[in-house]
Amino acid sequence: MNAATEPSANPLAAPIAPLIGVAPLARRAFGGENLLPLGQELLARATANPLDAHACLDFSTVLQLTGNHDNAMVVQAQALALQSHYVLPARGPGPGLRLLVLMGPGDLMANTPIEFLVEDSDVTLELLYLNGDADFPEIVPEHDVMLVAVAESEANRTLLRRLVDYTRDWPRPVVNRPEHIATLTRDGVCAALAGLAGVEMPVSLRTARATLLALAGGALDIEALLPDGGFPVIVRPLGSHAGTNLEKIDTPAALADYLARVAAEHYYLSRFVDYRGADDMFRKYRVALVEGVPLICHYAISERWMIHYLNAGMVESADKRAEEAACMAAFEGEFAVRHAAALRAIDARMQLPYLGIDCAEMPGGELLIFEVDNAMVVHAMDPPEMFPYKVAAMEKVFRAFRQLLEHARQGAAAE
């Protein structure tokens, strides 16, 4: 394995500015900055120098952050056609570690959001974009550890399958093997965690549109599809994220209405679980599992069953923030202890040194699993003046991830 040279520039062109990267751009957007002027500047750079892949890739990120997804993907494809390898130098002091990150094309949910995990650390990122339909490089950037960042999705299925052979005998430590990432489908996670004591996860069924139409029309009984229950159910199109077209369906008639509005070839179907507490509020944890150790990333409280941190009213409610602060302070001695056996079993079955878990606690004490994924957004962008308690919690996550990389490097050196 040889070191690749740095991305080449047109010798007749002006020097190309460094890549800004996703984390700094997301931080600016999250802080309320209008990114339109920056987008115009990046577009002007790319127009003036068609070989400026950095401008193209950063412009693609700006377009995504401002809600222009389709154009963002077009611009990203242009950037990746120019070059597949991008470098983000370490921004913090320390001994230094060079991490090769294998990524696939796609939006901000297509890969592990690695930049947020090592922001301001001593880790240099060698971002290498691969395509499932193209040849993989024989020469890659020099590195100490490799992370397979490609997320499980329909779009990434071919890429993950090919990465199994590509990484099998890799001469450097590999974090998150592609064959284990590939099991992170909703039905795959459900099957992997089946039968675990203390874990509640409804059967998640991948089903065709024709089957749901038969169910909606009365030609098929719900019990014939879901062995663990009937209506109400949760339906979402295959490949949807962040709650897009995810709905609770109470009756066959409501399912017919849903199918008339949401066209897809395949859907996920599962029974609805009412996990609200005694006060009629729903609570969701986002937990990072790093080398088997659970670490709290956020804790959202909402009147609605479909919780996303940004729509849970955490900014608007001092009481909710106080509860989250208390949860984070007591997490290691309470939640992590209550569910220690279940979390150890999840870690053993998923076989991924780094993953994220969205979950809740059932009234009876079981751990209700919503999703297990290697690409959940874990960040420290919340304003510390409003969320001071998050600073220490997120530093724990980032330290644990850095230690994971160091353990991988040291383990390889010891062999």
Side-chain angles (χ1 to χ4, degrees):
M1 179 176 61
N2 299 314
T5 59
E6 294 298 319
S8 60
N10 182 352
L12 301 178
I16 293 177
L19 186 71
I20 300 172
V22 170
L25 291 172
R27 185 174 293 280
R28 292 165 69 171
F30 203 76
E33 179 181 339
N34 178 12
L35 294 184
L36 180 59
L38 176 60
Q40 293 173 334
E41 176 187 330
L42 292 167
L43 176 58
R45 273 178 49 192
T47 302
N49 182 359
L51 296 181
D52 191 344
H54 289 172
C56 287
L57 194 61
D58 282 333
F59 184 39
S60 170
T61 301
V62 169
L63 288 171
Q64 291 186 68
L65 292 170
T66 54
N68 200 336
H69 178 273
D70 292 345
N71 285 337
M73 295 300 95
V74 172
V75 175
Q76 184 191 78
Q78 294 170 345
L80 301 186
L82 290 171
Q83 66 186 56
S84 59
H85 170 217
Y86 297 82
V87 180
L88 287 171
R91 295 170 55 185
L97 183 144
R98 194 168 289 270
L99 180 66
L100 175 62
V101 186
L102 299 189
M103 306 175 69
D107 60 24
L108 298 177
M109 294 181 287
N111 301 281
T112 302
I114 181 62
E115 291 184 43
F116 297 107
L117 293 169
V118 299
E119 193 176 11
D120 298 326
S121 79
D122 65 337
V123 175
T124 292
L125 295 178
E126 304 280 354
L127 307 176
L128 184 62
Y129 285 86
L130 304 176
N131 191 310
D133 299 322
D135 292 337
F136 290 171
E138 295 183 5
I139 299 175
V140 301
E142 189 53 67
H143 57 284
D144 301 302
V145 179
M146 183 233 278
L147 169 74
V148 180
V150 180
E152 188 286 319
S153 69
E154 288 295 299
N156 286 340
R157 181 163 294 183
T158 298
L159 177 56
L160 283 170
R161 185 171 61 247
R162 290 186 59 200
L163 283 174
V164 174
D165 289 334
Y166 185 64
T167 63
R168 179 171 287 118
D169 298 316
W170 204 259
R172 298 286 186 273
V174 178
V175 175
N176 282 8
R177 290 277 178 181
E179 55 267 35
H180 301 311
I181 295 173
T183 67
L184 295 177
T185 61
R186 296 184 187 279
D187 50 340
V189 171
C190 182
L193 302 187
L196 282 187
V199 172
E200 172 81 9
M201 189 173 187
V203 171
S204 186
L205 178 70
R206 176 173 170 161
T207 185
R209 179 178 179 84
T211 302
L212 291 189
L213 286 170
L215 178 61
L220 184 65
D221 290 332
I222 185 65
E223 291 79 9
L225 284 179
L226 291 179
D228 61 344
F231 287 103
V233 295
I234 300 296
V235 182
R236 69 194 313 158
L238 204 68
S240 69
H241 293 281
T244 302
N245 291 320
L246 169 65
E247 294 188 22
K248 173 176 170 282
I249 305 296
D250 294 313
T251 64
L255 179 59
D257 175 69
Y258 173 86
L259 294 172
R261 292 182 286 106
V262 181
E265 292 185 7
H266 292 89
Y267 304 81
Y268 278 117
L269 178 73
S270 62
R271 65 178 170 87
F272 172 76
V273 177
D274 190 346
Y275 62 99
R276 80 185 77 187
D279 59 355
D280 283 337
M281 300 291 282
F282 296 92
R283 292 166 171 83
K284 186 191 79 170
Y285 298 79
R286 175 158 293 180
V287 176
L289 206 56
V290 187
E291 295 187 284
V293 177
L295 299 159
I296 183 69
C297 300
H298 71 225
Y299 172 74
I301 307 105
S302 177
E303 298 81 3
R304 294 179 288 183
W305 66 267
M306 186 169 58
I307 304 178
H308 298 290
Y309 196 83
L310 293 178
N311 71 11
M314 302 299 291
V315 170
E316 295 79 9
S317 172
D319 288 342
K320 289 183 178 181
R321 295 196 301 276
E323 184 177 336
E324 182 182 34
C327 169
M328 286 186 157
F331 181 82
E332 293 179 16
E334 295 184 3
F335 182 99
V337 172
R338 288 196 298 273
H339 304 292
L343 292 167
R344 283 195 301 268
I346 292 171
D347 176 59
R349 292 197 180 185
M350 303 317 300
Q351 300 184 63
L352 290 165
Y354 174 79
L355 56 81
I357 303 173
D358 276 351
C359 57
E361 290 184 288
M362 293 289 290
E366 301 89 352
L367 186 65
L368 174 64
I369 303 295
F370 300 126
E371 187 174 1
V372 179
D373 196 359
N374 66 319
M376 289 182 183
V377 177
V378 173
H379 65 81
M381 294 189 294
D382 294 294
E385 60 274 12
M386 181 170 287
F387 300 92
Y389 53 89
K390 284 192 174 183
V391 176
M394 297 317 300
E395 284 179 352
K396 285 183 181 180
V397 176
F398 302 149
R399 282 198 306 270
F401 186 79
R402 180 61 180 86
Q403 290 169 359
L404 160 62
L405 299 180
E406 193 61 38
H407 292 161
R409 175 165 66 175
Q410 293 176 359
E415 292 179 358

